[in-house]
Amino acid sequence: MKVFKFGGASVKDADGVRNVAKVLENFKDEELMLVVSAMGKTTNALEQVVNAFYNQTEDLTHSLTYVYDFHMKIIEKLFKEPTHPIYNEVAILCNKLNIMTDHKPTKDYDFIYDQLVSVGELLSTKIVAAYLNEVGIETEWLDARRLVKTDSTYRDAQVNWTETVRRIKKAYKPNVLQITQGFIGSDEDSEPTTLGREGSDYSAAILAYALNADEVVIWKDVPGVLNGDPRHFSDTKLLPEISYYEAIELAYYGASVIHPKTIQPLQRKKITLSVKSFLDINKPGTKVFEAADMTLIPPCFILKPNQVLITIAAKDFSFIVEDNLSEIFGLFSDMGIKVNLTQNSAISTSFCVDNAPMRLPKLITELQKKYNVKYNDEGLSLYTIRHYTPETEEQVLEGKKLFLEQKSRHTVQLVLK
Ligand code: ADP
Ligand code: ASP
Ligand code: MG
């Protein structure tokens, strides 16, 4: 069997949902399981609901209305019959959002986040399932909260594999097209959890792992994995095949086309991952598998914008040693700040991290208690080139100011402005 994953971009409007049905028409004879993300930018919109509720700001009503209107507009285009049950289902889910935000927040932010944000995937899968049934593609809707069991690390829930595999196997019906949500699960108390932003690819991999699938196909708005994000780099080339190892490396450095956690479960069971265009399904796309031919892979470019460079030195000019580093990394981890690059010199260590305006000032204050801290948060970007050459490095550096460079055999990383 195969797991098909349709991301937010593929179901961003009514035409997107119609296109999902068209894609599926071509796979009538295959055994499939569908994983669908929230529609378009719904997760961002729900994050605004969370913030407005948590901070009790005035735009709460507006942000709730936005989510409701967005989904209503889509179903009005897909279901001409105003008595179709989907209208009621969407209304019920949106009303749940109203009820959950109808009082002052009493729980912590991350818990609230998962309660509210998980509704995005429930809405999208209800709509897609109803539409597929409407056009004669019979589906069964499965609640991923009952399948994917996790711990209670809200917003970054860790999967309980034994229980999850057991539940997925039990729910699976080979001859039925089942559709479920990406990104969400639930903890031991059956409270909703989420697997981290963009986590639907990972959900598809979890299902594939549990069901020993032959393949996972993630349907994207790009022809496959390219050697750079076409939004940031010109003349990008398709990578027809890459190894699991290379896919993990690219995802780790920030190639956002695949969620970094997706590869490991697939690699363990040697399940092929295909990345294909939902706009042109006959194009070959990219295949990720163990024995991919890597000899022809071109230099690959990855850009992480919005970086901050923090340089830490001991106040008495002494060396930064293991003890200090372990304390410093502990602080980064406690504050949930991701370190993308570290570089040591005799008396200082530099860290390139994602900018987190809410959390960084607190971290800096904490570090300043013991160290001299310099930081630069003015429009820095981290460029990574896998399989770099002197020419590609020149190309990236052109017209920019270099703040930090780190090289290994296959990879160069540059902090630039
Ligand atoms: P979805 O959420 O709909 O599954 P995403 O928007 O998360 O899809 O991922 C697709 C996007 O990933 C593309 O539109 C592209 O801009 C971006 N992207 C980043 N790096 C790459 C890459 N190396 N190859 C292809 N696309 C990339
Ligand atoms: N809807 C979630 C997000 O936007 C998960 C996903 O799309 O993969 O982060
Ligand atoms: Mg996405």
Side-chain angles (χ1 to χ4, degrees), residues 292-331:
D293 179 0
M294 293 298 297
T295 51
L296 293 173
I297 195 162
C300 296
F301 301 85
I302 300 149
L303 167 65
K304 267 189 193 274
N306 207 9
Q307 299 294 297
V308 178
L309 197 57
I310 304 172
T311 304
I312 300 171
K315 284 191 169 161
D316 61 0
F317 231 61
S318 63
F319 297 128
I320 299 257
V321 291
E322 286 73 8
D323 280 359
N324 310 106
L325 284 175
S326 118
E327 180 186 49
I328 293 166
F329 272 113
L331 276 175

Side-chain angles (χ1 to χ4, degrees), residues 5 8 37-38 43 121 183 197-201:
K5 180 252 169 175
S37 311
T43 305
E121 267 69 13
F183 180 52
R197 283 302 307 262
E198 304 297 333
S200 293
D201 295 346

Side-chain angles (χ1 to χ4, degrees), residues 164-293:
T164 298
V165 167
R166 192 185 68 74
R167 285 170 176 247
I168 293 171
K169 280 198 161 125
K170 194 165 162 227
Y172 178 63
K173 292 184 195 146
N175 299 315
V176 181
L177 180 62
Q178 293 172 308
I179 172 170
T180 193
Q181 306 78 49
F183 180 52
I184 70 172
S186 74
D187 66 8
E188 277 185 11
D189 300 325
S190 299
E191 298 291 356
T193 55
T194 63
L195 306 174
R197 283 302 307 262
E198 304 297 333
S200 293
D201 295 346
Y202 182 40
S203 300
I206 295 167
L207 288 157
Y209 178 92
L211 298 171
N212 295 312
D214 300 307
E215 187 182 6
V216 171
V217 184
I218 54 181
W219 296 94
K220 294 274 173 181
D221 60 358
V222 280
V225 180
L226 306 167
N227 72 329
D229 185 342
R231 283 177 303 184
H232 301 304
F233 300 95
S234 52
D235 302 324
T236 50
K237 296 187 204 73
L238 178 77
L239 310 178
E241 53 183 72
I242 52 177
S243 63
Y244 295 119
Y245 175 76
E246 187 63 24
I248 286 193
E249 290 279 331
L250 291 173
Y252 168 80
Y253 288 119
S256 58
V257 65
I258 307 172
H259 188 278
K261 281 185 164 179
T262 312
I263 304 297
Q264 199 233 14
L266 302 181
Q267 189 266 340
R268 275 167 63 191
K269 293 222 171 153
K270 307 283 177 274
I271 299 167
T272 300
L273 172 67
S274 295
V275 183
K276 284 170 71 91
S277 166
F278 59 75
L279 300 166
D280 190 349
I281 67 165
N282 295 316
K283 285 212 178 124
T286 299
K287 288 219 179 298
V288 183
F289 59 105
E290 187 87 337
D293 179 0

